[in-house]
Amino acid sequence: QKEVEQNSGPLSVPEGAIASLNCTYSDRGSQSFFWYRQYSGKSPELIMFIYSNGDKEDGRFTAQLNKASQYVSLLIRDSQPSDSATYLCAVNILKDNFNKFYFGSGTKLNVKP
Amino acid sequence: DTEVTQTPKHLVMGMTNKKSLKCEQHMGHRAMYWYKQKAKKPPELMFVYSYEKLSINESVPSRFSPECPNSSLLNLHLHALQPEDSALYLCASGVASGKYEQYFGPGTRLTVT
C-alpha cells in the first residue's frame, strides 16, 4: 500500500470555480501534511501545510485535514488559468528516527478560461 | 527567505563523464535532501543529510555519490551514469526534526547521452 494516494486526474474546472483536490494517507503516524504545486518542467513549490485537524486558509487556498479519516484536501477558490499545474500531496512521517517525506503521484489540474 | 539554489540548471553528460551537481541554502536548515524526478512521476528520495551526516540512502547506485561539505552546501557527484538516469534532480532543505516544511530548489535537468 502506498503511503499517499491521489487521483491523477486530470481535473478540469472552469475559471472562477472551486477546484477540490483530495489525498489519502495510510500511516497514522503521519505528522505533517503538505501541498506542492508543480508547473511542467519546474520544481515543486510549497503552497500549503497543515498539522492539525480542521481547516487552514491562505488567500484563495484552503487545506483541510481529517486525521480520523486519514484524508487531506486542498480547495482553490476562484480558480485561474495560472493555477493549471500538477498538485502533489506529501506527508511527513518519523521513520528510522528521521523525518521522511512521502509524495503522492500528483493530480493534474486544468483551469479552462 | 525560502530560497534553495542549484547549479547547473541543465547538464548534458556522456556515460564516461564525471560531473557534480551543487545545492546551497542559507535558511539555517540542518536537513538537506536529494530527489530524482522522472517525467509525470513524483519526486523520489535518494539521500538525506542531517547535521552534515548521511542519514538516509535509499539504495541508490554507487554511480551517485553525495557530499555535504557544510550545513549550507550539498553536492551530488555523478560518474558512469546510464541514459535511464536522465531526470530532474531536486535538492531540498528543511528542519532536521519536528513538524516542519521542506523547500525545493529549482532543480538540475540532467541528460545522459
Side-chain angles (χ1 to χ4, degrees), chain A residues 28-62:
Chain A
R28 289 193 176 273
S30 301
Q31 298 177 314
S32 312
F33 308 85
F34 307 87
W35 285 99
Y36 288 85
R37 178 176 63 197
Q38 187 170 25
Y39 294 111
S40 180
K42 301 295 185 182
S43 68
E45 174 192 8
L46 180 63
I47 55 171
M48 289 291 287
F49 57 89
I50 186 167
Y51 301 143
S52 305
N53 274 330
D55 296 359
K56 178 181 178 182
E57 185 175 319
D58 184 1
R60 295 186 298 113
F61 299 100
T62 298

Side-chain angles (χ1 to χ4, degrees), chain B residues 11-29:
Chain B
L11 178 62
V12 179
M13 60 186 291
M15 290 189 284
T16 59
N17 291 159
K18 286 185 180 181
K19 296 287 184 182
S20 296
L21 309 184
K22 297 185 183 300
C23 174
E24 188 169 5
Q25 59 90 12
H26 294 288
M27 294 178 280
H29 290 166

Side-chain angles (χ1 to χ4, degrees), chain B residues 73-92:
Chain B
L73 295 174
L74 186 66
N75 298 322
L76 186 63
H77 303 297
L78 314 173
H79 173 56
L81 296 192
Q82 303 298 308
E84 60 264 29
D85 296 321
S86 298
L88 180 66
Y89 287 83
L90 296 163
C91 173

Side-chain angles (χ1 to χ4, degrees), chain B residues 33-78:
Chain B
Y33 307 74
W34 280 116
Y35 289 87
K36 172 183 177 181
Q37 188 178 28
K38 303 282 271 185
K40 301 187 188 301
K41 297 290 186 182
E44 179 184 336
L45 183 64
M46 299 175 72
F47 302 104
V48 183
Y49 274 84
S50 177
Y51 293 93
E52 296 93 67
K53 293 185 178 179
L54 183 62
S55 299
I56 294 176
N57 176 341
E58 295 286 33
S59 302
V60 177
S62 60
R63 57 186 184 266
F64 295 92
S65 175
E67 178 195 19
C68 189
N70 60 54
S71 60
S72 300
L73 295 174
L74 186 66
N75 298 322
L76 186 63
H77 303 297
L78 314 173

